[in-house]
Structures are given as structure tokens and as C-alpha cells.
Amino acid sequence: SLDGTTLAFAVDETGIPPTQRVIYTVPVAGGVPQRLGSGFDEWSRSAPQWLAGGALIYSAQAPDGRSTIFLRRTAEGVEEDLAGAAVPPSADAEPYTAFARPLAGRDGRYFAVEALRSERNGADLLIFDDQGLLVDRLGSQQIRTSSPPPQPTPTQRVAPNQINEATPATPRPTAELVLPAEPRREGPFWSRGLAWNSAGQLLYLSTNCTSPTIQEYQLYRWNGIQRSELLASGQRLGGIGTAAMV
């Protein structure tokens, strides 16, 4: 915990597939571990982290592939499913289908979660506060539809008895096949939280394309709601590894 008095950890209580982890807490000074929640359900819980005020957040996965983030404000309180708060930025954006493990700030005021877009088209980075409210969205990608091609303009038909040398007949335009507009994605392909510093700022990385060979990346520092600062950008071959704050 932030005051250094309590540990939180996940335990697999089944020992057989599928894994079924539950969250426990125990005082650092020693004592009997306390199980959070009773009984079993479809969720396997892991990666607990502390927030300000003693709340816990942790990741959860179901056997059918679904995932979410749970918030528990007190050991005796109920779990709050935060997936419902992680709505897309607009009607043009893809809905989220999965959530990675949370990354909490050192002071517990905010935490970041990768939210995977439908059909695996990259991920946004969502910022929640210690009350479980979505306060910022980093690297959002919008889906745009290109304007349809211009249609042929009808021409005036001239009656046969009106045709003379001064009024040449104009052929009627031929019908053209108009293909549906292709959707176009704008914005970063993937955004991932790297680490929080002691000032409560989040370093995060965005990539612009889906290529596994060449990565065009931008390194940002999140300084607060709607305030991101570009620190570096470039290209590299292959993937990008893990990061640590030192």
C-alpha cells in the first residue's frame, strides 16, 4: 500500500486449468492473509496495485477471452467493473474489446490502462483517477470515410426536330460504377504506458503504423489532463522493448 503497511497479491486457488486467481492482502508486520471477495466466478484476477485512499485496482480475465479492470475501494467493499466507463471517444471510433493490466502512479492519484480496439486495430491509452473516472484518452484513433467521387452531370437532351448545325446533339453520359468509400484511420496505431515518475507524470509511447519491421515512434510525457509533451521521435527496426524509470 502507499503507506507501506499492507501487501496485495494474487493466488491461484485451483491449481488446474483454467487458472483462477483471487486477490489477498496481508499486513507487512505479519498476520493472517485476507481474501478479497468470497466464492468463485468467471474472472481470474491479477496484478493488484494500490491507489490513493487505500483502494485497489487489478486486472481480470475470463476463459472466453474477455478482460476488464476491477476497482475495490475497501477490503469489505464491492468490486466495480471499469470497462463500462471506457467508452470510445466518439461514434466514429472503434469500441474496445480488451484491457491490459493497469499501471498506477507512485502517488496513487491516477492509473493508465491499454484498451485494445475491436478487430485488433491497435490500442488507446486510458487515464483514470483514483475514483475510477476516465479523465483522459491518449493516442485515440478516429475512423474517417472518404468523400464519394463526383457524379456525372446530366446534359440537356435536344429534340430531333431541334437539331441543326448550330445545335449539335450531345450524347447522354454513361452510367458509372460508384464504389463505396473506404474507411480511413487517423491517429496513432498503438499507445502504451511505460512508467510514472516521482512527479506524477506518465511516460508513454505511440507508434504510427502496424508494421512489425519498422516502427515510427513518439515518446511523450503526460503532465496532466489534456497536457502531453513530445520528448522524442524516430524510427527503428523491429519491436520496442520494456522501459524502466530510474
Side-chain angles (χ1 to χ4, degrees):
S1 56
L2 298 183
D3 60 7
T5 63
T6 310
L7 291 175
F9 55 96
V11 175
D12 181 10
E13 293 188 333
T14 61
I16 59 174
T19 301
Q20 192 78 14
R21 295 187 179 93
V22 294
I23 306 299
Y24 279 82
T25 62
V26 64
V28 173
V32 178
Q34 179 183 3
R35 189 183 194 273
L36 302 186
S38 59
F40 291 95
D41 56 17
E42 60 186 334
W43 298 106
S44 178
R45 297 158 175 82
S46 61
Q49 297 187 46
W50 295 96
L51 299 178
L56 271 174
I57 52 166
Y58 40 89
S59 180
Q61 297 79 35
D64 59 6
R66 289 177 296 124
S67 60
T68 190
I69 302 295
F70 282 129
L71 168 68
R72 187 182 288 270
R73 301 181 188 275
T74 65
E76 297 77 18
V78 298
E79 288 180 329
E80 300 176 33
D81 190 341
L82 299 186
V87 295
S90 69
D92 296 330
E94 296 177 80
Y96 301 126
T97 58
F99 301 89
R101 63 176 56 190
L103 179 65
R106 299 185 185 185
D107 58 6
R109 294 178 57 208
Y110 298 102
F111 63 94
V113 179
E114 278 182 53
L116 277 66
R117 306 185 191 110
S118 63
E119 300 180 4
R120 304 298 178 185
N121 287 311
D124 294 343
L125 186 61
L126 309 182
I127 306 295
F128 292 83
D129 66 11
D130 56 4
Q131 300 301 308
L133 299 177
L134 178 61
V135 297
D136 210 348
R137 192 187 317 265
L138 309 178
S140 295
Q141 189 177 71
Q142 302 292 328
I143 299 178
R144 306 295 187 190
T145 302
S146 303
S147 300
Q151 301 295 314
T153 303
T155 56
Q156 182 180 2
R157 297 186 62 185
V158 180
N161 60 356
Q162 294 178 334
I163 296 178
N164 52 43
E165 295 181 358
T167 309
T170 303
R172 299 180 61 185
T174 58
E176 296 184 8
L177 178 63
V178 179
L179 299 176
E182 290 290 333
R184 183 180 72 259
R185 291 179 170 83
E186 296 179 350
F189 172 69
W190 202 294
S191 295
R192 171 167 292 175
L194 300 178
W196 293 87
N197 63 18
S198 58
Q201 299 164 319
L202 173 68
L203 296 182
Y204 69 96
L205 196 71
S206 288
T207 59
N208 288 340
C209 61
T210 62
S211 171
T213 305
I214 300 178
Q215 295 287 343
E216 183 179 347
Y217 67 89
Q218 299 83 39
L219 177 65
Y220 292 93
R221 178 169 58 208
W222 184 77
N223 298 317
I225 299 173
Q226 299 296 317
R227 291 188 294 120
S228 288
E229 175 186 1
L230 178 63
L231 301 179
S233 63
Q235 291 182 339
R236 60 163 290 129
L237 298 177
I240 299 173
T242 59
M245 187 71 69
V246 296

